[in-house]
Amino acid sequence: MKSACWIVCLSLGLCACAPWPERPDAAQPALQTVQGNRVVELARSELGVPYLYGGETPDGFDCSGLVQYVYAHAGIEVPRTANAQLYASHPVKRQMLRPGDLVFFEIAGNAQMHVGIYIGDGRFIHAPETGGKVSYAQLDNPYWKAHFISGGRFQ
């Protein structure tokens, strides 16, 4: 009887010292939130910068240049063009978007892509077009809603 108790106590003691099993995705949402918030903060700091075709600096941005610049300053490497950003990112459904995710739009059929940075509450920041400036837009705007194709995540 004494040895049975000893075995049970020893077993319980060893179990208590064993490391708690970790869920592999346990830290992921917090990490994504921190990076996503940083991306949004950096994108907001570029509001008002003029659109410049091929632009990738605060002197002027096109849509994918803004994304690449902001993400680089958040420590995340992304490709240069909207098409490459779409194919390199992990697809995200519209209802699953988080701040810092990318939103992709098909403009003029398959000929042209547009990309913005989702900031939450159905809004995104983008470099819209020649004559425009880095600004906010709404995903529910009829134009953007009709042209939305996917979200994308790098974090």
Side-chain angles (χ1 to χ4, degrees):
M1 178 76 155
K2 233 179 186 182
S3 63
C5 287
W6 174 251
I7 291 172
V8 170
C9 288
L10 183 59
S11 296
L12 290 175
L14 289 176
C15 290
C17 295
W20 188 261
E22 291 185 38
R23 289 184 16 218
D25 60 339
Q28 206 58 11
L31 177 63
Q32 289 173 343
T33 301
V34 169
Q35 284 182 323
N37 290 341
R38 178 73 177 136
V39 166
V40 169
E41 176 186 317
L42 290 163
R44 282 190 172 127
S45 72
E46 301 306 327
L47 287 166
V49 171
Y51 178 90
L52 177 64
Y53 181 78
E56 50 191 27
T57 72
D59 292 333
F61 289 112
D62 66 12
C63 64
S64 58
L66 172 66
V67 166
Q68 187 182 47
Y69 179 87
V70 165
Y71 267 67
H73 282 80
I76 304 165
E77 188 177 332
V78 301
R80 174 59 180 91
T81 67
N83 283 14
Q85 291 167 358
L86 171 66
Y87 294 113
S89 64
H90 300 285
V92 178
K93 293 180 182 179
R94 183 178 170 164
Q95 61 271 24
M96 301 301 289
L97 288 169
R98 290 187 231 166
D101 286 344
L102 300 181
V103 287
F104 295 97
F105 306 90
E106 186 176 71
I107 311 298
N110 288 333
Q112 191 176 355
M113 296 284 300
H114 184 69
V115 62
I117 299 169
Y118 186 72
I119 63 167
D121 297 322
R123 299 186 327 152
F124 63 99
I125 294 174
H126 67 140
E129 61 191 347
T130 301
K133 296 180 181 204
V134 174
S135 59
Y136 293 106
Q138 295 279 345
L139 281 174
D140 283 337
N141 169 293
Y143 179 84
W144 296 118
K145 190 173 188 175
H147 290 88
F148 179 84
I149 58 169
S150 181
R153 185 170 296 150
F154 281 95
Q155 295 100 300

